[in-house]
Amino acid sequence: MAAVTKKLKEIKQEELSIISKKRSALHPEDGIDRPQENLFGIALSGGGIRSATLSLGFLKILNECGILSRADYLSTVSGGGYAGAYVQAKLCEAGSYKELFSLSDIENLRLKGYYLAPGRGIMRMLTRLRLAGAFAASVVMNWVWVILLFLLLALSFKLIAELVSAIDYDSWLNYGFIICGVVLAFHYFFHSFRRLLLWHSDILNAIEGGLLAFVVIVAGLSWGRQWVPGFFETWSICFWGTNLFSGLSHGWLTCIHLLLVAVVFAFSGLFANPNLLTLHRFYRDRLSGAFLRTVSRKSTRIRLRKWIGEKDGQCNPQSPYPLINTCLNVLGKGKHIGAKTSDYFLLSPLYCGSELTDYISTAKSYFYSRMSFATATAISGAAVNPEMGQRTNKVVAFFMTLFNLQLGYWTRNPKARSEFPFDWWPYYYILQLLSKTHAERRRVNISDGGHIENLGVFELLRRESKLIIAVDAGADPTYGFSDLRNLVVRARNDLGVVIKFRDGCQPEDCIKPKPSIGFSSSQFAIADVSYLPEKQKRTPYNGLLVYVKSSMKAPSEFRDVAETDPEYKSFYYKMYHPRFPHESTADQFFDTAQWEAYFRLGQYIAGDLLDVKLRDRDQSRQAEEQWKKMTINELKDRFDAKKA
C-alpha cells in the first residue's frame, strides 16, 4: 500500500511543529507558538568543493556567534550540501553546537580536499586509478543491455529470413543500393528543376526514407542470417565445450537462441539499475568518506528520516531543519501543466517530492525511508547528468547516457501507487537516451539542484522566511550574478515574490570588483523581500535577504596582513592564483593550500558581515557575546540597519 501524498501547504505545517520543538529546546525566546512569524533560514549555494570549503569557514564564524543554532532551516544545493552534511552529522552525533568545527575535524576536512581521489603519494595515484576503473566498469555494464538488445534484433531478423528463406536477400540488397544511388544522384544533380510535382521535396524525401527502411531491413535479414549462427555456435562451444543445438534445424535453433537472449535481456533489465551501475555510488561514497566519516564511521549510514529523532535513532532535532534541493527533470510529454522542463524536488527528513509529483512521507515510504543523508547529498550535487533541466542539450544527453556519464538518480515517484522494489531499467534508459523523462511513471529522474536554482533560496521563499542569509559561492569570475538573476526571475514568476536590493546596495555596484583596485568594496548586499501587490496575502510578507558573495575586499593596510590573520591565507593565495575565489568548478581536487585559502575566506566574509574583527581576539570575543544574546527579531533588525 503506497503512502498518502500531501501538498506543500500541509508539509509546511509539520515542519513548523518540528521547528517549535527545536526552539523550545534551544531558544524559547525566539517564539515557540508562532514560528512562522519570524522564520530564519541559511542557504548554501552550489559550487562543488569550492562552495563546500568556503561555506564551512562561513558557518564556523556563525556558529561561534551563536547564529547557526538559531537558524530554523539549512537549505543546501550541490557543494553547499557537503558542508551541510557535515553540520547535520556532527549535531546528530554530538548533540551540541560546541563540538562543531573542532580542530581535529577541520584538519581531517583539509586533508580531504582531494575527496574524489584521497590520499597522498602512491595512494593518491591508486585512488585515481580506482576512479578510472569505476568509470570504465560503469560504461561496460551500461552496454550490457544495449548489446543484448542488438542481439535480440539480429536474431529476430535471422528468424524472419529463415521463415522466408526462398528470397535472395543479397540480390535484393544490391538492387536496393543501386536504386538508392539513382535516387541520390537525381537529388544531387536534377532536383533544382522543380516544375513537376513528382520532384517536390516532401515526395522525394519520403522516397528516400522508404529506401532507407528497405535497405536497413534487407541488410539486417541478410547479414543476420550470415553471422549470427557462427556467433552462437562459438558462444555455445565456449560455455559448454560443444554446440548443444547442432542437431536442430536452423529454424528451431534460431527460435531457441532468440528465446534465450530474450529471457536474459528481460532478466538482466531488472538488475541494470543505473543508481548502482553509474558513477553515482562512487561519488556518494567519496563524499560521505570526506564529509561524514570525518564525524564518525557510522555517520556515513545515517538515514534521512533519522534526523527527526525517532526512538531507535541517534539524531535529535536540535539542528536547523535540512532542505536538500534537487532538480526534477521532465523533458518528455507528461501530463504536467505548461512547458516546464524541470521542477524543484525536495529531499528532507519529513517529506520528499515536488509540486508536480506531490510530497510523500519520508518515514512511511519504503523507498525514501531507506535513503541515507549521503545519498541525498550526492543527488543534490549530481552536476554531471544527461538531463539538466532547462540546460539540457538532447544530442549531448544521448551520448552521455550511452557512455554512462551520469551522477543523477532515478528516484521513486511520490505519486506512484505501487512501491514494488523492482523496475525494468532499460525502459528508463531509453527515456533518457531520447530526453523523454517525465513525471508520470514509477521512477523520476532527479539531478543537481543547481540545474534549476543554485542558491538554495527558493524553498526558503516558499516558506516565507523573514530572514535569509544566502551564501553564493558558485563560479562567477566575471561577476555576472547569473545565479542571483535566475533566483530573482524564478521567485517573481513562480511565487510572485519580489527581491529588491536597496539603493546604493546593488550587487553589481558594491560587490563587483573595481578595475582600478581589483577588489570588491563589499562582500554582501541587503535586499527586501515581499509579494507582488496582486499576490499579497492577508498577512503581508516582509522578509530580508542578506546576499553574501564569494569575493575579496582589499586589505585596509597591505603591510598589516600578517600570517596570523584569517585574511592572510586567502590574500597570499590570490597573489599566485588571480582567478581566486572563482576558480573553475571542474577543479574538484583541492590541495591543503587551496583548501585553506577558501576556508579562511569564508571566515573572513562572515567576520566582515558581522563586524567581528578576527585579528583582534579580545574584540571578536566581545562581538560574539553580543550576537549570542540577540533573538531572531533582533538579528533581522541588525541586518536591516546594515549597509554594504
Side-chain angles (χ1 to χ4, degrees):
M1 184 70 179
V4 178
T5 57
K6 293 187 177 182
K7 297 294 185 182
L8 182 64
K9 183 178 180 180
E10 297 173 287
I11 75 169
K12 286 195 292 188
Q13 291 302 316
E14 293 192 40
E15 290 175 2
L16 291 174
S17 176
I18 292 289
I19 289 170
S20 293
K21 293 178 182 177
K22 180 240 178 184
R23 287 188 177 187
S24 178
L26 296 179
H27 300 290
E29 65 274 14
D30 287 330
I32 301 172
D33 297 332
R34 299 182 62 81
Q36 67 271 22
E37 293 181 353
N38 60 347
L39 285 174
F40 169 31
I42 298 174
L44 305 179
S45 80
I49 188 68
R50 179 189 60 253
S51 174
T53 309
L54 187 141
S55 296
L56 285 168
F58 187 87
L59 292 179
K60 182 178 185 296
I61 301 303
L62 259 60
N63 185 53
E64 291 174 358
C65 293
I67 296 175
L68 181 59
S69 66
R70 291 190 182 276
D72 299 310
Y73 290 107
L74 184 59
S75 180
T76 60
V77 181
S78 193
Y82 307 172
Y86 162 75
V87 170
Q88 299 291 354
K90 189 69 176 182
L91 291 174
C92 280
E93 181 82 9
S96 170
Y97 284 84
K98 294 180 180 179
E99 302 297 324
L100 275 173
F101 306 105
S102 65
L103 292 177
S104 60
D105 286 353
I106 292 172
E107 180 62 23
N108 282 329
L109 291 166
R110 181 190 295 111
L111 294 176
K112 292 176 180 176
Y114 272 78
Y115 71 99
L116 289 177
R120 294 182 178 182
I122 187 67
M123 287 303 298
R124 181 167 294 173
M125 185 181 70
L126 291 175
T127 52
R128 289 190 175 186
L129 184 62
R130 178 175 61 186
L131 173 59
F135 171 68
S138 70
V139 172
V140 172
M141 290 187 292
N142 184 49
W143 285 351
V144 168
W145 75 270
V146 179
I147 294 171
L148 288 170
L149 179 61
F150 178 77
L151 289 176
L152 198 62
L153 293 174
L155 281 167
S156 299
F157 278 130
K158 180 177 181 291
L159 182 60
I160 295 171
E162 289 176 351
L163 291 176
V164 285
S165 56
I167 301 174
D168 186 354
Y169 297 105
D170 292 335
S171 298
W172 279 100
L173 187 61
N174 292 333
Y175 293 140
F177 281 130
I178 292 171
I179 297 172
C180 285
V182 171
V183 172
L184 291 176
F186 176 83
H187 192 158
Y188 189 84
F189 291 106
F190 302 107
H191 190 45
S192 58
F193 301 99
R194 300 181 180 177
R195 298 180 181 178
L196 297 177
L197 183 62
L198 179 63
W199 295 1
H200 193 278
S201 295
D202 288 343
I203 296 176
L204 186 57
N205 294 151
I207 294 172
E208 290 167 343
L211 282 172
L212 175 63
F214 174 79
V215 169
V216 169
I217 292 172
V218 174
L221 293 172
S222 177
W223 297 337
R225 188 173 60 175
Q226 291 176 16
W227 70 265
V228 171
F231 171 82
F232 277 95
E233 182 178 351
T234 305
W235 172 78
S236 180
I237 292 173
C238 288
F239 281 89
W240 286 287
T242 181
N243 187 357
L244 297 180
F245 312 112
S246 58
L248 296 175
S249 65
H250 288 295
W252 281 107
L253 182 61
T254 304
C255 286
I256 292 174
H257 285 153
L258 182 61
L259 180 61
L260 285 174
V261 173
V263 170
V264 173
F265 177 60
F267 188 68
S268 67
L270 298 175
F271 297 92
N273 188 338
N275 298 334
L276 304 177
L277 301 183
T278 63
L279 285 176
H280 165 81
R281 199 168 188 176
F282 175 89
Y283 178 55
R284 181 205 66 187
D285 291 344
R286 299 287 74 74
L287 284 180
S288 63
F291 293 92
L292 296 178
R293 197 167 181 175
T294 291
V295 178
S296 70
R297 187 181 296 271
K298 64 181 180 180
S299 293
T300 61
R301 299 187 296 272
I302 293 177
R303 290 183 177 176
L304 189 59
R305 65 182 174 87
K306 292 286 187 179
W307 183 91
I308 59 176
E310 294 182 344
K311 294 180 180 179
D312 60 340
Q314 299 297 319
C315 305
N316 56 68
Q318 293 195 15
S319 61
Y321 185 80
L323 302 173
I324 302 175
N325 298 273
T326 71
C327 173
L328 171 66
N329 295 296
V330 284
L331 283 88
K333 295 181 180 179
K335 296 179 181 179
H336 47 273
I337 300 173
K340 284 188 175 182
T341 57
S342 57
D343 195 19
Y344 311 89
F345 198 95
L346 176 68
L347 299 175
S348 73
L350 285 175
Y351 287 91
C352 297
S354 70
E355 289 285 84
L356 286 179
T357 63
D358 290 342
Y359 297 84
I360 192 170
S361 170
T362 306
K364 295 179 181 179
S365 165
Y366 174 86
F367 181 87
Y368 290 103
S369 65
R370 286 158 175 75
M371 180 177 285
S372 66
F373 240 106
T375 296
T377 302
I379 297 170
S380 179
V384 179
N385 201 57
E387 295 188 337
M388 301 185 290
Q390 64 181 8
R391 304 177 187 177
T392 304
N393 181 306
K394 294 186 178 182
V395 175
V396 175
F398 179 88
F399 287 101
M400 288 184 72
T401 303
L402 193 62
F403 289 97
N404 220 14
L405 291 170
Q406 52 184 314
L407 298 175
Y409 200 80
W410 286 96
T411 192
R412 190 251 189 194
N413 188 342
K415 277 188 175 180
R417 295 181 179 179
S418 170
E419 294 235 27
F420 187 67
F422 293 102
D423 292 272
W424 199 66
W425 293 105
Y427 170 74
Y428 295 102
Y429 268 113
I430 293 171
L431 286 181
Q432 198 167 53
L433 272 172
L434 304 176
S435 295
K436 294 294 184 181
T437 55
H438 51 80
E440 307 300 326
R441 291 290 181 265
R442 287 184 354 105
R443 295 275 182 168
V444 290
N445 184 262
I446 55 178
S447 60
D448 194 313
H451 293 159
I452 186 168
E453 198 275 294
N454 200 41
L455 296 182
V457 175
F458 191 89
E459 290 291 347
L460 297 177
L461 294 176
R462 267 183 170 173
R463 287 155 175 77
E464 298 183 348
S465 298
K466 297 303 190 293
L467 174 60
I468 301 173
I469 298 178
V471 180
D472 182 359
D476 188 12
T478 62
Y479 288 83
F481 302 95
S482 58
D483 289 336
L484 178 60
R485 284 189 284 107
N486 177 62
L487 170 68
V488 170
V489 171
R490 287 184 176 276
R492 188 183 186 93
N493 293 345
D494 296 348
L495 300 176
V497 170
V498 179
I499 300 174
K500 184 178 180 181
F501 285 91
R502 297 172 177 180
D503 294 338
C505 199
Q506 296 292 332
E508 296 84 352
D509 299 327
C510 63
I511 298 180
K512 188 172 183 177
K514 303 297 186 290
S516 57
I517 60 174
F519 291 93
S520 303
S521 59
S522 177
Q523 295 165 301
F524 63 90
I526 308 295
D528 295 301
V529 180
S530 62
Y531 282 119
L532 288 166
E534 61 270 23
K535 294 284 186 177
Q536 196 66 266
K537 299 178 181 179
R538 183 176 300 176
T539 303
Y541 177 23
N542 297 313
L544 194 72
L545 171 65
V546 181
Y547 173 72
V548 179
K549 181 73 170 177
S550 177
S551 54
M552 286 197 68
K553 290 176 67 176
S556 55
E557 297 181 16
F558 279 79
R559 296 179 183 178
D560 196 33
V561 180
E563 291 191 23
T564 55
D565 293 338
E567 185 178 358
Y568 172 78
K569 296 284 186 181
S570 301
F571 179 72
Y572 187 79
Y573 185 84
K574 187 173 178 63
M575 291 172 59
Y576 298 96
H577 302 83
R579 293 179 65 87
F580 175 83
H582 291 285
E583 294 167 296
S584 172
T585 308
D587 179 11
Q588 293 294 300
F589 301 90
F590 275 22
D591 58 25
T592 53
Q594 191 176 13
W595 191 95
E596 190 71 24
Y598 281 95
F599 180 69
R600 293 290 186 177
L601 178 62
Q603 293 180 275
Y604 176 54
I605 293 174
D608 185 55
L609 174 67
L610 302 177
D611 298 317
V612 177
K613 296 181 180 179
L614 299 178
R615 67 177 63 180
D616 185 342
R617 191 55 193 156
D618 291 335
Q619 189 277 341
S620 65
R621 285 198 185 97
Q622 294 176 6
E624 288 168 8
E625 291 303 318
Q626 291 176 359
W627 285 105
K628 287 178 181 178
K629 295 176 182 178
M630 294 185 188
T631 64
I632 291 178
N633 291 331
E634 290 170 338
L635 284 175
K636 185 174 182 291
D637 292 340
R638 180 72 177 266
F639 287 122
D640 193 25
K642 286 186 72 69
K643 295 182 179 180

